[in-house]
Amino acid sequence: MEKEVIMQRLIQIFKDVFDLDDVVLTPDTTADDIEEWDSLEHINLISAVESSFKMKFKMKEISTMKNVGEMISIIQERAKR
Amino acid sequence: MKILSYPFDNSLILKKKRSIKKQLLSDNSTRIKKKIAVLGGSTTDEIVNILELFLLNYGIEPVFYQSEYAQYWQDAVFGNEELDSFNPDIIYIHTTSRNITEFNISMTASQSEIDDMLSKQYNHFKSAWTALKNKFKCPIIQNNFEMPFYRFLGNKDVSDYRGKTNFLNRLNNMFCSYSQDNDNFYINDINYISASYGLQKWSDPGSWYMYKYALCTAAIPELSFNIANIIKSIYGKNKKMLVLDLDNTLWGGVIGDNGQQGIDIGHETGLSEAYTEFQEYIKAHKQLGVLLAVDSKNDYENAIDGLNHPDTVLTPDDFVTIKANWNTKDLNIEEISNEVSILTDSFVFVDDNPAEREIVSAQIQGIAVPDIDSVESYIKALDRNGYFELTSYTTDDIKRNDMYQANIKRLKSEKSFANYDEYLKSLEMSALIDDFDPVYLSRIVQLTNKSNQFNLTTKRYTQTEMENVLYYNNYIRLYGKLTDKFGDNGVVSVVIGHKEYNNLHIDLWLMSCRVLKRNMEYAMLDTLVNKCLENNIDNIYGYYYKTAKNSMVKDLFLDFGFKLMSEDENGNRVFTFNINNYSPKNNVIKIYNNGGF
């Protein structure tokens, strides 16, 4: 799957999870850039991404993932849909 | 709301929770406010967020207290100021197998050492319940334990006393015994729902290590829904009636086309087995006091023919009313509602035809219309929705279908009398009206929490609150049981007032709608006035608190002869009545008390 396609789907997931009308994502975006993205919502974000792409993050990845770009790389490697 | 009824999409609910909440809050419906303390043995944040959605959907607006992380026991046993001042209406204790502290795997342990661990673990929880019960006197909902996600002893884990599975099963049984012995204590059966969800998925260890959730986050809606069902049942928001289609719902095929011989019911084929089991499932609901009715597009004779099939489980007698005609289904539902005096928002409509379901759910506000799909999944679709979640049970429940059927017979005989008084007299009614009898307390609580229409204040009481009313002599309490020649209606009316000097203030006045227009309210008033005179009361103050459902009683006190004192902008009214020189209003019901006539 193309990185750009993944990015577009992530934008929709971010909008749903954080209930935002619009969201700007770049590979460098981190939790610090989005006000609603706290530790509690992080859990929901991860499970929403997992169910959308039919894949699982490993525990180590969740705790070390630094930004959206890294998330996209993992999704690209593992996504089933 | 469709998105919140079973089968729901867990991840969709989690993802869209904010917009779902906004939507629920903007629908302008009236909701009861309840304070819910969630005492967790693991993280509870998202459980609470999703629980809020399900409760809002059930007409309950919750405010939450959450214990600090895993402080359930400390909060319960030692208390804290925040929880004290919060003063919960209901307490939910979210503990799981992760909170088992006394059990250790030890192959050298003797049976009695394991027994010690078990009783220590049980007493740990019991001390929490006792402390909470003494302090807050409110309903407590307690998780039982899900099975462990690994079995150290393999299959022997369940049968060997040293196995953790064995230990948890025993502990679960002890929790159940406590629940049987203590009113107001309810088990949230996560052992069942985790198995139903899939234990391996449920107990995702990653969620525990990373976030200290004792279940996978995707399963949270399943858990929260289960809790919400118990809570709405405690507050009397269960459904009351199943309205059923016939063709391809209660049997396979179309009776009008295939004839009695041609429909699938019985044990001859797989298909007929499926319909038979579904009929058995439906019929069993009568024992819970759930009413059954038919709403089918059929000639009446054909419908009856189908229900008299030699292999049928459900027969015409099982239904309080049978609407088999060519009217639209929503019209029939309105008629059923009028006949039995139950609002349509307490109905569940079961029909295999998606088009009929669509029309009914669009036309009738608040009716539940499950997507029943195909016959092999009918039971699951109904069962998992928890429409009739059982939290209290009285012997009146089992008789309810008969009572309503008798009511419809009364309705028919009414038509043959010239005037209404003559009809009422012909019913040969007698009423037992007396101070609360502990034997009937659970029925009194149940009726109090279920009555919406003939209910002046719609004040709700938990079992414990009602016990306080029972043992405190500042109250005048009455319950009324009505019997007539068609049968016993059971406890149908409750009145509670508290005394202040020579005044009585009515806290609660309600009556079951199945005895409307029988002058039972006059019989209650006559008895109340007598009680007041015995207690040197001169004035009775009546209150009407307006809700979306109780407009039928807004003028009740005026009808009694009370004077309207004030009315506020919300339509709430206060009335007063001087009881000196009162003359009795009931002349059709023979009144007696526990001492006799």
Side-chain angles (χ1 to χ4, degrees):
Chain A
M1 208 181 300
E2 291 292 322
K3 284 199 156 124
E4 192 44 42
V5 177
I6 297 174
M7 180 64 98
Q8 285 314 312
R9 275 172 64 182
L10 278 183
I11 288 174
Q12 189 51 47
I13 295 169
F14 272 65
K15 281 200 229 169
D16 281 342
V17 170
F18 301 125
D19 199 29
L20 298 168
D21 292 333
D22 206 6
V23 67
V24 180
L25 286 190
T26 71
D28 298 325
T29 306
T30 70
D32 295 338
D33 301 318
I34 297 175
E35 197 187 328
E36 290 80 3
W37 190 350
D38 57 19
S39 60
L40 185 62
E41 290 307 330
H42 184 66
I43 305 173
N44 290 323
L45 180 68
I46 294 292
S47 51
V49 172
E50 286 180 339
S51 79
S52 170
F53 291 96
K54 273 237 178 283
M55 47 82 69
K56 275 282 201 192
F57 290 103
K58 291 178 184 152
M59 222 176 102
K60 196 173 167 199
E61 292 164 349
I62 297 173
S63 41
T64 55
M65 224 163 7
K66 283 198 299 289
N67 54 34
V68 169
E70 285 189 19
M71 183 184 271
I72 290 175
S73 304
I74 300 169
I75 294 171
Q76 194 174 31
E77 187 187 303
R78 221 170 288 154
K80 293 207 186 71
R81 69 172 182 206
Chain B
M1 193 187 262
K2 189 112 193 159
I3 197 172
L4 295 176
S5 58
Y6 189 85
F8 41 72
D9 179 340
N10 288 316
S11 57
L12 192 66
I13 294 174
L14 287 164
K15 201 163 72 174
K16 299 227 174 236
K17 63 169 190 242
R18 288 161 200 262
S19 67
I20 296 172
K21 184 176 169 182
K22 269 191 219 157
Q23 226 177 309
L24 284 164
L25 287 175
S26 64
D27 70 1
N28 285 325
S29 66
T30 47
R31 297 189 170 90
I32 53 169
K33 290 204 169 70
K34 290 292 162 192
K35 291 176 288 176
I36 303 175
V38 176
L39 309 186
S42 49
T43 313
T44 53
D45 301 83
E46 197 67 359
I47 297 168
V48 165
N49 288 336
I50 304 300
L51 177 59
E52 181 178 25
L53 303 182
F54 284 115
L55 289 175
L56 287 170
N57 192 41
Y58 281 141
I60 298 168
E61 189 179 328
V63 197
F64 290 102
Y65 164 90
Q66 280 189 80
S67 59
E68 292 295 323
Y69 173 73
Q71 294 295 300
Y72 74 98
W73 196 80
Q74 289 82 343
D75 269 9
V77 174
F78 306 122
N80 78 50
E81 276 176 26
E82 195 192 338
L83 178 58
D84 287 353
S85 66
F86 180 73
N87 193 23
D89 296 314
I90 204 157
I91 295 167
Y92 167 55
I93 305 177
H94 174 65
T95 48
T96 67
S97 300
R98 294 284 179 189
N99 299 107
I100 296 293
T101 47
E102 302 299 333
F103 178 82
N104 298 304
I105 287 175
S106 161
M107 293 310 286
T108 55
S110 67
Q111 172 86 50
S112 75
E113 282 170 313
I114 300 282
D115 288 353
D116 277 354
M117 294 177 190
L118 186 67
S119 79
K120 256 194 185 160
Q121 191 69 71
Y122 174 69
N123 285 324
H124 164 87
F125 283 98
K126 196 179 167 190
S127 61
W129 307 331
T130 310
L132 290 169
K133 185 179 169 182
N134 290 340
K135 191 183 266 177
F136 298 112
K137 304 187 182 1
C138 71
I140 297 172
I141 301 172
Q142 165 71 54
N143 286 352
N144 60 3
F145 298 97
E146 81 285 15
M147 291 299 113
F149 71 95
Y150 62 89
R151 296 177 302 169
F152 185 64
L153 301 183
N155 287 288
K156 233 181 175 359
D157 214 56
V158 70
S159 57
D160 192 292
Y161 70 90
R162 291 163 295 198
K164 190 167 187 183
T165 308
N166 185 276
F167 184 87
L168 290 175
N169 276 325
R170 290 174 72 195
L171 190 55
N172 278 347
N173 282 335
M174 293 170 87
F175 275 34
C176 291
S177 301
Y178 182 89
S179 171
Q180 277 173 33
D181 297 341
N182 290 272
D183 280 339
N184 255 339
F185 183 88
Y186 308 94
I187 295 291
N188 181 44
D189 190 2
I190 65 168
N191 186 26
Y192 182 89
I193 52 169
S194 61
S196 158
Y197 185 81
L199 185 59
Q200 286 307 323
K201 280 191 288 162
W202 176 280
S203 47
D204 168 28
S207 300
W208 171 252
Y209 302 133
M210 284 184 294
Y211 321 127
K212 293 287 181 256
Y213 273 111
L215 70 163
C216 76
T217 46
I220 285 175
E222 305 273 341
L223 173 69
S224 297
F225 181 58
N226 212 54
I227 307 161
N229 281 340
I230 299 175
I231 296 176
K232 65 100 177 153
S233 170
I234 291 173
Y235 292 115
K237 294 188 174 286
N238 270 353
K239 299 293 180 189
K240 298 172 183 167
M241 181 149 200
L242 278 165
V243 177
L244 301 141
D245 171 50
L246 295 175
D247 292 331
N248 290 315
T249 299
L250 290 187
W251 57 66
V254 177
I255 185 89
D257 296 342
N258 311 35
Q260 199 195 49
Q261 304 309 314
I263 57 172
D264 294 305
I265 189 74
H267 299 279
E268 302 309 315
T269 63
L271 206 55
S272 52
E273 291 255 28
Y275 284 104
T276 301
E277 187 167 19
F278 184 56
Q279 284 204 5
E280 284 165 352
Y281 176 77
I282 295 292
K283 185 159 180 157
H285 280 77
K286 287 176 68 184
Q287 299 196 37
L288 302 179
V290 174
L291 303 176
L292 308 182
V294 167
D295 182 359
S296 164
K297 283 187 176 157
N298 255 314
D299 287 335
Y300 186 78
E301 295 71 27
N302 287 339
I304 297 296
D305 225 24
L307 291 169
N308 282 324
H309 186 283
D311 291 329
T312 189
V313 179
L314 287 163
T315 60
D317 291 348
D318 289 320
F319 301 94
V320 291
T321 181
I322 295 175
K323 299 281 170 213
N325 52 42
W326 299 94
N327 294 339
T328 60
K329 300 230 169 181
D330 51 300
L331 196 74
N332 280 336
I333 289 172
E334 296 293 357
E335 268 185 37
I336 295 169
S337 166
N338 288 334
E339 276 178 34
V340 295
S341 302
I342 293 177
L343 296 175
T344 50
D345 63 3
S346 300
F347 285 20
V348 178
F349 176 66
V350 185
D351 196 316
D352 67 295
N353 183 341
E356 298 287 5
R357 296 202 297 259
E358 188 74 34
I359 294 168
V360 166
S361 51
Q363 292 300 317
I364 299 187
Q365 273 269 305
I367 191 167
V369 184
D371 277 333
I372 57 170
D373 197 26
S374 162
V375 63
E376 66 275 22
S377 59
Y378 287 180
I379 293 181
K380 191 170 73 178
L382 285 180
D383 206 66
R384 291 290 278 116
N385 267 303
Y387 297 126
F388 310 107
E389 178 78 39
L390 192 69
T391 47
S392 72
Y393 183 79
T394 70
T395 45
D396 271 3
D397 287 321
I398 198 163
K399 290 188 267 168
R400 189 164 303 129
N401 266 276
D402 299 338
M403 293 178 193
Y404 278 91
Q405 266 168 357
N407 231 354
I408 288 169
K409 276 189 208 138
R410 280 178 204 110
L411 214 64
K412 283 179 186 150
S413 77
E414 181 185 329
K415 287 173 186 153
S416 59
F417 284 92
N419 78 46
Y420 198 71
D421 248 29
E422 193 189 326
Y423 158 70
L424 287 179
K425 281 182 184 150
S426 79
L427 290 176
E428 296 161 18
M429 293 184 283
S430 63
L432 166 66
I433 302 177
D434 208 336
D435 193 1
F436 285 7
D437 179 340
V439 172
Y440 291 118
L441 202 67
S442 56
R443 168 62 185 159
I444 289 168
V445 173
Q446 189 194 44
L447 187 64
T448 301
N449 289 322
K450 269 198 334 200
S451 302
N452 295 313
Q453 301 181 83
F454 198 108
N455 194 338
L456 276 302
T457 56
T458 320
K459 186 168 158 59
R460 307 300 196 195
Y461 291 75
T462 62
Q463 180 89 18
T464 325
E465 285 164 346
M466 203 58 101
E467 278 164 17
N468 290 341
V469 171
L470 174 62
Y471 294 115
Y472 194 43
N473 61 17
N474 193 39
Y475 291 103
I476 293 183
R477 303 155 292 253
L478 291 177
Y479 74 99
K481 271 185 96 196
L482 185 66
T483 307
D484 63 28
K485 68 176 181 186
F486 293 104
D488 184 353
N489 290 283
V491 176
V492 290
S493 185
V494 179
V495 174
I496 298 172
H498 69 271
K499 295 183 268 189
E500 259 174 40
Y501 307 105
N502 62 339
N503 300 321
L504 184 80
H505 298 268
I506 306 281
D507 300 320
L508 186 72
W509 189 305
L510 61 87
M511 195 172 80
S512 162
C513 283
R514 64 174 183 246
V515 297
L516 279 182
K517 295 194 192 155
R518 305 280 292 277
N519 289 10
M520 183 64 184
E521 59 275 33
Y522 295 142
M524 293 296 287
L525 181 65
D526 289 352
T527 314
L528 181 72
V529 169
N530 285 338
K531 285 262 177 204
C532 285
L533 292 170
E534 285 167 23
N535 280 276
N536 300 320
I537 301 281
D538 293 312
N539 303 299
I540 302 179
Y541 285 83
Y543 300 86
Y544 168 73
Y545 298 132
K546 189 176 169 180
T547 71
K549 293 178 175 175
N550 72 350
S551 60
M552 72 156 68
V553 289
K554 91 177 181 295
D555 295 328
L556 181 77
F557 285 122
L558 288 178
D559 175 48
F560 281 172
F562 282 49
K563 269 202 307 249
L564 178 64
M565 300 212 356
S566 66
E567 175 164 5
D568 71 12
E569 69 277 14
N570 298 322
N572 298 325
R573 298 165 146 198
V574 183
F575 303 86
T576 178
F577 186 49
N578 184 295
I579 60 172
N580 300 313
N581 308 321
Y582 177 80
S583 54
K585 291 194 160 42
N586 154 55
N587 58 357
V588 294
I589 304 173
K590 220 169 173 183
I591 301 173
Y592 64 104
N593 58 31
N594 286 318
F597 282 95

